[in-house]
């Protein structure tokens, strides 16, 4: 191989020399100095790049046998299981302190300090609005559980008649026309104006002292209302109601009816039978017992309601 290459190079030089000689013979002579670079033609050629030897009889390497382990022989990889999220209980927070109780100002109906929530509250308020209740303005106490004096009842009756003037006169209210004399009441008594007013109408009076500061009994109040009903000429009370009303049968429902005075039997029977004056849980009426202020104002309310019903349905 090397020999062939040498012959090829040698032949190339000879061919170049012949060509140059021919050209030189035919061309006019030249000065070398006028031909810059001409010397380059006679510079030795660079050594040829050696050709890498031809690799012969190269034995290819046998392929490597890739050994793959059987699946069963592979090392076990631990299974990583994510933990199940557990419900996180909230951290208990301290309860906020209870707000301080707000002190509400007490509610006093009409400024009366001792009737809020009382069973006769409405009756007392109505009576107070009509001037029927004597209250000390310094303490504003109605004293519903205290007993009613005779003078206090007369004051309430006098103001009640004034408040129901149209109703009573529509039912034919009339006085007997003969004023009565009231004994034992001085002119400077606080209830004298009302006592004198009812005496002029012939509703109270007599030969016995009136004693306005004594307590009034339940049978006395029932008799005063009974006398009022008798003077309602257009009500039919005396002409229609009484003829059909049986006093003795009504008194059978009162366990202590025997304690009632003879002059109050009819009135107690009517007031009890028509629920104008209620009895007690044991079935008694207690005719001689003083009447409380709450019971008194409640009775006025019941009588007024009953008389209003008489205008449309006298029963």
């Amino acid at each position: 191989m090397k020999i062939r290459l040498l012959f090829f190079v040698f032949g190339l030089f000879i061919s170049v020399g012949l060509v140059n000689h021919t050209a030189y013979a035919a061309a006019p002579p030249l000065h070398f100095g006028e031909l810059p670079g001409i010397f380059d033609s006679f510079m030795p050629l660079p050594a040829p790049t050696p050709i890498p030897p031809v690799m012969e009889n190269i034995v290819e390497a046998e392929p490597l046998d890739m050994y793959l382990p059987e699946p069963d022989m592979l090392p076990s990889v631990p299974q990583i299981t994510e933990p199940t999220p557990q419900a996180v209980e909230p951290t208990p927070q301290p309860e906020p302190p209870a707000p301080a109780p707000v002190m509400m100002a007490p509610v006093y109906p009409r400024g009366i300090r001792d009737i809020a929530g009382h069973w006769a509250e409405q009756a007392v308020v109505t009576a107070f609005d009509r001037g029927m209740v004597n209250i000390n303005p310094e303490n504003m106490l109605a004293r519903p559980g205290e007993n009613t004096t005779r003078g206090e009842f007369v004051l309430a009756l006098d103001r009640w008649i004034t408040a129901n003037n149209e109703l009573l006169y529509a039912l034919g209210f009339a006085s007997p026309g003969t004023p009565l004399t009231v004994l034992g009441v001085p002119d400077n008594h606080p209830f004298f104006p009302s006592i004198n007013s009812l005496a002029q109408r012939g509703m109270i009076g007599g030969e016995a002292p009136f004693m306005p500061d004594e307590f009034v009994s339940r049978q006395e109040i029932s008799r005063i209302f009974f006398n009022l009903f008798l003077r309602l000429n257009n009500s039919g009370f005396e002409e229609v109601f009484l003829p059909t009303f049986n006093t003795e049968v009504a008194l059978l429902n009162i366990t202590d009816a025997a304690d009632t005075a003879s002059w109050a039997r009819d009135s107690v029977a009517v007031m009890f039978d028509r629920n104008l004056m209620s009895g007690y849980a044991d079935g008694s009426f207690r005719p001689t017992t003083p009447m409380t202020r709450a019971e008194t104002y409640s009775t006025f309310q019941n009588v007024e309601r009953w008389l209003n019903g008489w205008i449309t349905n006298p029963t």
Side-chain angles (χ1 to χ4, degrees):
M1 184 68 182
K2 294 179 179 180
I3 296 173
R4 291 178 181 176
L5 181 59
L6 290 175
F7 278 109
F8 173 76
V9 173
F10 183 76
L12 181 61
F13 275 102
I14 293 174
S15 297
V16 172
L18 291 177
V19 171
N20 291 332
H21 178 74
T22 302
Y24 178 80
L30 296 171
H31 297 285
F32 288 117
E34 297 175 358
L35 298 173
I38 191 65
F39 293 104
D40 295 339
S41 300
F42 298 99
M43 294 295 292
L45 296 174
T49 303
I51 300 174
V54 178
M55 302 298 293
E56 295 181 357
N57 299 324
I58 297 176
V59 181
E60 295 181 358
E62 294 182 359
L64 297 176
D65 293 335
M66 299 299 292
Y67 175 74
L68 297 176
E70 296 295 330
D72 293 342
M73 299 177 65
L74 294 174
S76 60
V77 178
Q79 299 292 327
I80 300 176
T81 58
E82 295 183 359
T84 304
Q86 301 293 328
V88 179
E89 297 183 358
T91 304
Q93 299 295 327
E95 296 184 359
V102 179
M103 301 301 294
M104 301 297 293
V107 178
Y108 298 133
R110 302 296 191 274
I112 305 174
R113 304 172 60 88
D114 58 351
I115 62 170
H118 194 277
W119 64 268
E121 176 183 343
Q122 187 55 50
V124 175
V125 168
T126 301
F128 177 79
D129 291 342
R130 294 173 173 178
M132 297 166 56
V133 183
N134 61 313
I135 292 182
N136 186 343
E138 294 181 358
N139 55 30
M140 291 300 292
L141 298 177
R143 302 172 287 120
E146 295 185 12
N147 294 331
T148 307
T149 66
R150 297 164 64 88
E152 290 172 339
F153 177 76
V154 169
L155 169 69
L157 178 60
D158 184 41
R159 302 290 175 81
W160 181 83
I161 291 175
T162 301
N164 289 277
N165 184 68
E166 293 185 5
L167 170 64
L168 296 178
Y169 280 94
L171 295 173
F173 177 70
S175 61
T178 304
L180 298 178
T181 301
V182 177
L183 302 178
V185 182
D187 296 349
N188 60 352
H189 194 280
F191 298 128
F192 178 82
S194 294
I195 294 172
N196 185 63
S197 173
L198 292 184
Q200 295 298 317
R201 295 179 179 182
M203 298 185 65
I204 59 172
E207 297 179 357
F210 183 75
M211 296 180 294
D213 298 325
E214 298 293 328
F215 296 136
V216 61
S217 67
R218 292 168 57 84
Q219 65 180 2
E220 288 174 334
I221 288 181
S222 67
R223 185 63 198 185
I224 292 174
F225 276 115
F226 189 86
N227 291 338
L228 175 68
F229 300 154
L230 291 175
R231 295 178 182 178
L232 302 178
N233 297 328
N234 299 335
S235 67
F237 177 80
E238 188 173 8
E239 295 81 6
V240 178
F241 178 80
L242 287 182
T244 61
F245 181 78
N246 194 318
T247 297
E248 298 304 321
V249 172
L251 289 177
L252 292 177
N253 297 316
I254 300 176
T255 58
D256 58 349
D259 298 336
T260 306
S262 57
W263 51 265
R265 290 179 66 84
D266 291 338
S267 60
V268 168
V270 170
M271 297 295 287
F272 178 82
D273 187 72
R274 288 298 180 265
N275 294 319
L276 304 179
M277 290 178 63
S278 60
Y280 295 90
D282 59 357
S284 64
F285 186 82
R286 304 177 189 177
T288 60
T289 300
M291 198 168 191
T292 65
R293 290 162 63 88
E295 291 173 338
T296 298
Y297 305 130
S298 178
T299 300
F300 277 108
Q301 189 177 53
N302 295 338
V303 169
E304 184 175 337
R305 185 182 303 114
W306 189 50
L307 293 182
N308 274 289
W310 269 85
I311 295 178
T312 57
N313 182 29
T315 56

